Amino acid sequence: MIEPIAWLVLLPLCWAALSFVLGPKRGAGLALAGLAIQLMLALAAAQQAAFGHVSRHAAGGWKAPLGIELVLDGLAAVMLLLAQFVSLPLALYARAYFSEHPEGGYYFWPLAGFLIAAMNALFLSGDLFNIYVTLELLGLTAVGLVASAAGTGPLIAALRYLFATLLGSAAYLLGVALLYGTYGSVSLSILTPLVVQNMPNAVIAAASVMLAGLMLKTAIFPFHFWLPPAHGGAPAPVSALLSALVIKASFYLIMRLWLTLFMPATTAAAAQLLGALGAAAILWGSVMALRQERLKMLVAYSTVAQIGYLFLFFPLVTQTPPDAAQSAMQGAVMQAVSHGLAKAAMFAAAGAVVLSTGHDTIARFGGISGRLPLTLFTFGIAGVTLMGLPPSSGFIAKWLLIDAALASRQWGIILVMIVGGLLTAAYVFRVLRHAFLRVEQSYEFRGIPRMLEWPAFALALSSLGLGFYAGDILRLARLP
Amino acid sequence: MNTESLYALAGIALFVIGVAGFIVQGHLLRKILAFNVAGSGTFLVLVGLGQRGGAADPVPQAMVLTGIIVAVAATAMALALARRLFNKTGEMRLPEKALDD
């Protein structure tokens, strides 16, 4: 009997190790085969997790506390689906990208494989220490991917990213140490009722330090300093993976801890603080995106802004009426999924444009609309999702969040979301306007392979189409 | 105060010293060393607080071993990147302003 959740962790580890040995060409083929199987496993896992059913799997047959337990519930199933669904087209895109532009591609497949394995294991982890291990693996592989680009800029960006991620993990581990010292266990299912019963000050300290560390990793304002250079300077497939998936992993952890383990400690004041940081991120990120001259930096700042929407979840779910909390949960999950799909498509499109024109400057994009219509269409659809226009999944996400804000009477959040939507439209249209200008071509267009355009288009189209099929995802993402 | 609190306080003090050094120090090698000091502080908290009534508890010791391995890998990566930066720029410091590539 194949246990999907065990294989979702084991399979990417296998193909990552094999692709390290076999080299980039065969590694790409292995990765594609592995990711296709993983997508089917993730769908099987989603079936298992439907109707609120929680599955557990003890790795190697050894039970907790010394063994590692993998836990699958609705939220984990959604995140697993997102990760596999985004990785497969990105792998196709990356294979084409690195055959056009080999620099940075030599170690892409092993690093990406370990990154995906770490992410899958993170979504499935049932105890705090395993989360720490997967967080570190995720951070180190992401830094390795960023550092694979040539040039001093990406190297410096990778170092800043490494320091930020290490600081975040160290803070997280301190929290785990305090929790173990207080309760004698790191398993989430054992700790949660214990925290409800008895919550000494050490737990509040542990919660603060763990959440601060995870917030640093999620690049929420004001901890976002490392993100734009890292995501803007990395090769396009790497930027897509990082912005779409890696950021969501640490946010998933904040969400998980806030809702289960630290629920007795969550105060309305702390939630409002997180919401305020989210609002600041939306406004600051969008304004900075408007001011960027380079396309990939614009998309990176857009990530900073969209992460802010995720943090609006906290004031909407803490001490609010149950229907508001339910809408908030589903809205936040939908925002994570729709942003993942759209941002991956956007970075892939940006990469295709940069490869084709040879430069990254938005003001000089005149004439692209004639030469790269599919890529520009992709960028536009991804922009529609980010703006939150119907019928995209981005619209569903923002609708649910606004619904929760109305039900909990938090009008400021609605205002922030509307302003954010307008600013997003401004920077998306800025790019499209420059691209649609009819100017005399002053530079060479390089033809790019089909595989650079179609996976991005597929991702953008799915972010749009998810708006129609959102029901299944929303059912999986209900609050327990 | 009992030994548990003593270890925990010492560990937290080391953690704070490490993080302060990590943020304040500009030289990359010192940053990496400061991170290791902070890591050692965390391990001390984990083992010290995790004693169950004076008897050694194997679970936090296993966790600390894993943590040490993770810290070694992270330090190795940091050193490799720092050396590459030194080869490219001749400085063991991150530049003050963000580079506009």
Side-chain angles (χ1 to χ4, degrees), chain B:
Chain B
M1 81 176 48
N2 56 359
T3 52
E4 288 187 2
S5 313
L6 189 59
Y7 282 128
L9 282 175
I12 293 182
L14 274 179
F15 183 80
V16 170
I17 293 174
V19 169
F22 188 76
I23 295 177
V24 164
Q25 292 280 355
H27 194 273
L28 287 181
L29 206 48
R30 291 183 186 209
K31 267 196 202 292
I32 297 169
L33 284 172
F35 164 72
N36 278 305
V37 168
S40 301
T42 314
F43 301 148
L44 193 54
V45 173
L46 197 44
V47 172
L49 264 192
Q51 301 171 68
R52 296 280 115 200
D57 188 354
V59 177
Q61 296 189 358
M63 290 199 271
V64 165
L65 278 174
T66 311
I68 292 176
I69 296 173
V70 170
V72 166
T75 305
M77 169 160 253
L79 287 172
L81 289 179
R83 221 170 65 141
R84 214 207 272 187
L85 183 69
F86 181 70
N87 287 339
K88 277 190 191 272
T89 64
E91 292 239 318
M92 267 299 237
R93 287 170 183 273
L94 289 175
E96 283 300 315
K97 272 172 50 87
L99 260 199
D100 273 338
D101 229 31

Side-chain angles (χ1 to χ4, degrees), chain A residues 281-291 301-302 305 420 423-424 427:
Chain A
I282 295 177
L283 298 172
W284 174 253
S286 304
V287 167
M288 287 300 285
L290 267 174
R291 294 180 50 200
Y301 272 105
S302 161
L423 288 171
T424 310
Y427 63 72

Side-chain angles (χ1 to χ4, degrees), chain A residues 93-109:
Chain A
Y93 175 83
R95 185 164 74 155
Y97 187 91
F98 287 120
S99 54
E100 287 288 305
H101 191 248
E103 162 219 304
Y106 195 76
Y107 289 118
F108 177 79
W109 299 105

